[in-house]
Amino acid sequence: MANNISDKLAETWKKLPNAINGNGQNFIFLLKTLLGDLKEELDDKFEEISKISNAVTDAPEEIDEQLQNCKIQEVRVGTNISFILTWDHSNVKNYDSAEIYIKETKGNIADHKNWDEVEVSRTIRTTKADTITVDGINAGYIYQITFQAKNTFGSVSRKSGCPVLQYAVSAMNNVPDPPLEFNVYFNKDGVLWTWKQPVNLDYSYSELRINNNIGDKQGLLEITQDTKSTVLPPYREGTAYLYNKGYGSKYSTPLIKPWSKPVPTAPQTLAATSTYQGLQFTYSPIPDDCQGICISINGKKHYTKDEKFNYYCSTGSYTYKACFYDCFGEGIWTAEQTIGTIEEIPPDAVHITKQTVFDDGVIVGKYIGDHEVVGTKIKDGTITTENLAAGCVTANELASNSVTTDKIEAGSIKSDKIATGAVTADSIGANAVTAEKIESGAVIAGKLAADSVGADNIKAGSVTAEKMKVDTLSSVCATIGTLSTSESGARTVVKDNLIQVYDENNVVRVRIGVW
């Protein structure tokens, strides 16, 4: 009802105007409505408060309800000792917290008779919890711990009925009792070490080893406060040592347990059956202490835990053997055998047409008729260089004009891949070979056929003086016309059979020849 009235108050409050208009009658009406709703809500709230107040007033100082299953767990980290206290408050109605009262004194429980003479050293109050950690616990001391519950009305559990526990903390350098009933088991999952501990054992942890060098990392399998371990030893057989370590540097005497895990024997039966999918292997059941079977097919190992193994392969001859393997590794192998896969169409094959056979979604090549596979039936990118057998594609199998320059990867055609005489002038397109595509020094005189370079084949102006190397002019004979060292002034002019020398005034000073 209170929630509904609160909604009404909010709605009425929204209707109140920010300013009074006219004679204010509407404002007064809304204000009276708001005040009436407010009174109704306050009356309800007052009733609830009164109930709570009466309940608190009537609550007793003590209640008979008590905490249950109170426990103390000792934890040591180095020389530091702590208690983890736990309890169950499900029996306490309106539970709010617990109050913990701790007494401590040096000595042992057997010799201590009267706790009334010991003062409470610590009082700990929790808040709605059922566990707490108490630090600063002393070695060689005994403790009395009282657990008292408190509810939300302030009532506490009756002191005379509160659970009280006593606990003795041993000195730091004690020699603990050894473990009990040390055993080892091997199965398909590996190894399981088990043991038990004496009642009220005072120890730090157990140390499982494969030698008796206590405290040494060499030969250590595990350090644990549990009573089991699944750590695999490094060898198939040996001797295990189990110690309890006390608080400090002292160890118990060890429990000694030899172990031996035999090498798995070879499978008694191993058979391979040829199917249109490949090979199916069957074998004797996998032993309980083994993890599976390993089958070697043409030297490659395959591991399985199944009752049979299917190996998908093409037709051919296959050599196989098998062994069981356990947590330590492979066992004894069977003798090697050889089998060939089927060569004919099996009766249970799937016939899509009269000529085509599908092998579980794969088209078997030997069952495809001539001309059945054409380019339009091959997915783009499925035929790559690594999927083609060497020499399987020859010139006779390439359609005319199917290999063009845009389909040839740069650098893929090298001189050692071109047959002698395979490239002729008729095979080279016009303007296909240009100067920038010819490696420097690649064209030498010894590679030019006789009379292959004529005047008609030389571009005008392509032969210049810097491109000519002439050691002698004995072989050069030509009509040179007029040769002049300068156009005017002092110069020498050679013309036909006449040589004339001019001075700087353009006067002939020397004339040799016929004029």
Side-chain angles (χ1 to χ4, degrees), residues 311-453:
Y311 179 67
Y312 300 100
C313 58
S314 59
T315 57
S317 180
Y318 294 88
T319 300
Y320 63 94
K321 59 181 180 178
C323 71
F324 293 121
Y325 65 93
D326 61 9
C327 54
F328 288 100
E330 297 168 359
I332 301 173
W333 289 87
T334 63
E336 216 166 45
Q337 303 178 60
T338 302
I339 187 176
T341 55
I342 58 175
E343 295 292 342
E344 301 298 331
I345 300 176
D348 56 346
V350 181
H351 294 258
I352 303 302
T353 67
K354 292 182 179 180
Q355 290 81 24
T356 307
V357 175
F358 285 79
D359 180 359
D360 194 17
V362 179
I363 301 178
V364 182
K366 67 179 183 178
Y367 302 140
I368 301 175
D370 294 337
H371 311 298
E372 290 295 326
V373 178
V374 296
T376 56
K377 296 181 181 178
I378 300 174
K379 183 180 179 181
D380 289 344
T382 56
I383 299 179
T384 59
T385 304
E386 58 269 17
N387 292 333
L388 296 175
C392 67
V393 179
T394 61
N396 294 332
E397 293 168 341
L398 296 174
S400 178
N401 299 322
S402 61
V403 179
T404 57
T405 55
D406 58 332
K407 296 179 181 177
I408 301 174
E409 183 179 358
S412 62
I413 298 181
K414 301 179 180 179
S415 58
D416 55 350
K417 296 181 179 179
I418 302 176
T420 303
V423 180
T424 63
D426 295 337
S427 303
I428 302 175
N431 300 320
V433 179
T434 59
E436 61 271 12
K437 296 180 180 177
I438 301 176
E439 185 179 357
S440 177
V443 179
I444 59 177
K447 296 183 178 179
L448 296 175
D451 301 325
S452 61
V453 178

Side-chain angles (χ1 to χ4, degrees), residues 170 173-181 195-207 242-247 250-255:
S170 297
N173 209 23
N174 66 311
V175 178
D177 294 330
L180 306 171
E181 300 181 29
W195 59 91
K196 294 181 179 180
Q197 296 288 13
V199 179
N200 297 324
L201 175 67
D202 194 11
Y203 80 123
S204 179
Y205 55 77
S206 297
E207 189 169 303
L242 181 65
Y243 295 86
N244 280 338
K245 184 178 182 299
Y247 297 112
K250 302 294 181 67
Y251 284 81
S252 71
T253 57
L255 283 188

Side-chain angles (χ1 to χ4, degrees), residues 477-492:
C477 180
T479 300
I480 63 174
T482 299
L483 178 63
S484 177
T485 60
S486 177
E487 294 182 359
S488 62
R491 65 189 184 280
T492 300

